[in-house]
Amino acid sequence: MGKYPVVIENGSRRTFWHHFRLVWWGFSRVGGGKYKGRVSERKFGRVRAFCREKHLRFYTDNEYGRRSRDYRARFFRENPPLPGGFYFCAYCGIPHGRRRITVDHLYPVAKVSKDPALQKKLRRRGISDLNGPANLVPACHRCNAKKAAQMGVWIRKGRIGRHQWFWLFRWLVRCTVVFGLCYLCYRYL
Ligand SMILES: [Zn+2]
């Protein structure tokens, strides 16, 4: 059974008030209201529930715990835009220029960092880094806000919609259908 490296920080309340309990659980203070420790899978849920109840910040201190500072730049570097400088939103397919498109974490850091079972699943799927290209998709502001930390159907949508050719193909099919109908009407009516 694995042990999970966990960090607890001041959230809307102070860790200060829970010092003795955190130390009792095997955490050690690293300064600035921050505590680090390793908890077993069994204890993980209890610590998480405690932090939620006491309004403290809680996350795992591994590759799934943090969003990197440069994930946006990295995404744009590794995924050049379509000709004309735009990206299709992975969820709704509306094209936006680079300035107006946001970069979304397909599997949200907030959820994954608190869920060892999900981390295991992602490892099996080969996503070892939430800030890597496998977990980043372009999204418009509206979809990004709507999705927030949701998963489920959003993940499925994003995994298809991240392929820019999917939307190009859709446009092509639509144009062909419209053009074909116009032509048939013109010809036979
Ligand atoms: Zn969108």
Side-chain angles (χ1 to χ4, degrees):
M1 207 155 77
K3 280 222 167 198
Y4 295 91
V6 168
V7 180
I8 296 173
E9 282 178 358
N10 292 333
S12 58
R13 307 285 161 75
R14 302 207 154 268
T15 46
F16 175 79
W17 301 108
H18 308 290
H19 175 85
F20 290 107
R21 182 184 299 239
L22 292 176
V23 169
W24 171 254
W25 274 342
F27 286 91
S28 48
R29 188 165 174 274
V30 289
K34 201 167 170 180
Y35 287 78
K36 279 187 177 184
R38 295 174 78 83
V39 293
S40 65
E41 210 170 324
R42 201 165 50 85
K43 218 160 84 182
F44 192 94
R46 236 172 73 204
V47 177
R48 179 175 54 178
F50 171 80
C51 289
R52 193 177 296 159
E53 192 195 320
K54 304 294 181 192
H55 304 280
L56 304 174
R57 235 186 117 217
F58 167 100
Y59 55 85
T60 45
D61 191 20
N62 56 17
E63 68 275 30
Y64 295 112
R66 279 195 182 274
R67 57 176 66 219
S68 78
R69 218 168 276 173
D70 66 336
Y71 72 90
R72 230 181 111 79
R74 189 174 160 198
F75 174 83
F76 287 128
R77 208 166 47 235
E78 288 175 14
N79 300 278
L82 293 163
F86 61 87
Y87 292 88
F88 287 109
C89 168
Y91 304 114
C92 67
I94 294 175
H96 287 289
R98 192 187 146 156
R99 283 214 180 149
R100 299 210 40 209
I101 202 88
T102 63
V103 178
D104 186 43
H105 288 89
L106 196 57
Y107 285 94
V109 177
K111 275 260 172 73
V112 179
S113 68
K114 294 172 185 173
D115 191 343
L118 194 56
Q119 292 174 13
K120 253 187 198 164
K121 193 173 127 189
L122 290 184
R123 253 185 219 117
R124 269 206 309 274
R125 286 206 175 160
I127 301 178
S128 59
D129 178 8
L130 289 184
N131 301 295
N135 193 46
L136 296 177
V137 298
C140 65
H141 276 283
R142 231 183 63 180
C143 291
N144 203 340
K146 238 197 213 164
K147 178 182 176 259
Q150 291 182 79
M151 299 201 302
V153 71
W154 286 95
I155 301 280
R156 257 166 280 151
K157 269 203 247 177
R159 279 166 80 182
I160 299 170
R162 71 189 315 164
H163 302 292
Q164 302 285 299
W165 51 259
F166 171 79
W167 302 106
L168 277 174
F169 182 71
R170 215 174 77 144
W171 274 107
L172 202 74
V173 168
R174 278 186 178 181
C175 290
T176 312
V177 167
V178 169
F179 179 79
L181 283 176
C182 288
Y183 178 76
L184 288 176
C185 290
Y186 172 74
R187 186 78 196 269
Y188 298 107
L189 292 179

Short mmCIF file of all heavy atoms in Angstrom, two decimals, residues 89-94 96 139-144, ligand 1:
data_model
loop_
_atom_site.label_atom_id
_atom_site.label_comp_id
_atom_site.label_asym_id
_atom_site.label_seq_id
_atom_site.Cartn_x
_atom_site.Cartn_y
_atom_site.Cartn_z
N CYS A 89 -11.87 25.83 -29.76
CA CYS A 89 -12.16 25.41 -28.39
C CYS A 89 -12.45 23.90 -28.41
O CYS A 89 -13.22 23.43 -29.24
CB CYS A 89 -13.37 26.17 -27.85
SG CYS A 89 -14.02 25.48 -26.33
N ALA A 90 -11.83 23.15 -27.51
CA ALA A 90 -11.97 21.70 -27.53
C ALA A 90 -13.37 21.24 -27.14
O ALA A 90 -13.75 20.11 -27.40
CB ALA A 90 -10.95 21.06 -26.59
N TYR A 91 -14.14 22.12 -26.51
CA TYR A 91 -15.46 21.70 -26.01
C TYR A 91 -16.60 22.14 -26.92
O TYR A 91 -17.56 21.42 -27.09
CB TYR A 91 -15.68 22.24 -24.60
CG TYR A 91 -14.60 21.81 -23.64
CD1 TYR A 91 -13.73 22.73 -23.07
CD2 TYR A 91 -14.43 20.46 -23.34
CE1 TYR A 91 -12.74 22.34 -22.21
CE2 TYR A 91 -13.42 20.05 -22.48
CZ TYR A 91 -12.58 20.99 -21.92
OH TYR A 91 -11.59 20.60 -21.07
N CYS A 92 -16.50 23.36 -27.49
CA CYS A 92 -17.61 23.82 -28.32
C CYS A 92 -17.21 24.05 -29.78
O CYS A 92 -18.07 24.22 -30.63
CB CYS A 92 -18.23 25.09 -27.74
SG CYS A 92 -17.14 26.51 -27.81
N GLY A 93 -15.91 24.07 -30.06
CA GLY A 93 -15.48 24.16 -31.45
C GLY A 93 -15.46 25.55 -32.04
O GLY A 93 -15.25 25.71 -33.24
N ILE A 94 -15.70 26.57 -31.23
CA ILE A 94 -15.64 27.94 -31.75
C ILE A 94 -14.18 28.38 -31.81
O ILE A 94 -13.46 28.22 -30.82
CB ILE A 94 -16.47 28.89 -30.86
CG1 ILE A 94 -17.93 28.51 -30.95
CG2 ILE A 94 -16.26 30.34 -31.29
CD1 ILE A 94 -18.84 29.28 -30.03
N HIS A 96 -10.91 30.73 -31.73
CA HIS A 96 -10.48 31.98 -31.11
C HIS A 96 -9.01 32.20 -31.40
O HIS A 96 -8.26 31.24 -31.54
CB HIS A 96 -10.67 31.93 -29.59
CG HIS A 96 -12.08 32.02 -29.16
ND1 HIS A 96 -12.82 33.17 -29.24
CD2 HIS A 96 -12.90 31.08 -28.63
CE1 HIS A 96 -14.03 32.95 -28.78
NE2 HIS A 96 -14.13 31.68 -28.41
N ALA A 139 -9.36 25.98 -24.75
CA ALA A 139 -10.79 26.16 -24.43
C ALA A 139 -11.11 27.65 -24.41
O ALA A 139 -10.26 28.46 -24.05
CB ALA A 139 -11.10 25.55 -23.08
N CYS A 140 -12.35 27.98 -24.81
CA CYS A 140 -12.76 29.39 -24.74
C CYS A 140 -13.08 29.72 -23.29
O CYS A 140 -13.25 28.82 -22.46
CB CYS A 140 -13.94 29.65 -25.65
SG CYS A 140 -15.44 28.79 -25.18
N HIS A 141 -13.17 31.00 -22.98
CA HIS A 141 -13.43 31.42 -21.60
C HIS A 141 -14.72 30.82 -21.07
O HIS A 141 -14.79 30.39 -19.93
CB HIS A 141 -13.55 32.95 -21.55
CG HIS A 141 -12.22 33.62 -21.46
ND1 HIS A 141 -11.51 33.67 -20.29
CD2 HIS A 141 -11.46 34.24 -22.39
CE1 HIS A 141 -10.38 34.30 -20.50
NE2 HIS A 141 -10.31 34.65 -21.77
N ARG A 142 -15.73 30.79 -21.94
CA ARG A 142 -17.04 30.34 -21.48
C ARG A 142 -17.01 28.87 -21.08
O ARG A 142 -17.50 28.49 -20.02
CB ARG A 142 -18.07 30.57 -22.58
CG ARG A 142 -19.28 31.31 -22.07
CD ARG A 142 -20.29 31.46 -23.16
NE ARG A 142 -20.78 30.17 -23.60
CZ ARG A 142 -21.69 30.00 -24.54
NH1 ARG A 142 -22.19 31.04 -25.15
NH2 ARG A 142 -22.09 28.81 -24.88
N CYS A 143 -16.43 28.05 -21.95
CA CYS A 143 -16.39 26.61 -21.65
C CYS A 143 -15.49 26.34 -20.45
O CYS A 143 -15.80 25.48 -19.63
CB CYS A 143 -15.89 25.83 -22.86
SG CYS A 143 -17.05 25.82 -24.21
N ASN A 144 -14.39 27.07 -20.37
CA ASN A 144 -13.47 26.87 -19.26
C ASN A 144 -14.17 27.15 -17.93
O ASN A 144 -14.06 26.39 -16.96
CB ASN A 144 -12.26 27.79 -19.43
CG ASN A 144 -11.05 27.27 -18.68
OD1 ASN A 144 -11.18 26.48 -17.76
ND2 ASN A 144 -9.88 27.74 -19.06
ZN ZN B 1 -15.88 26.74 -25.94
#
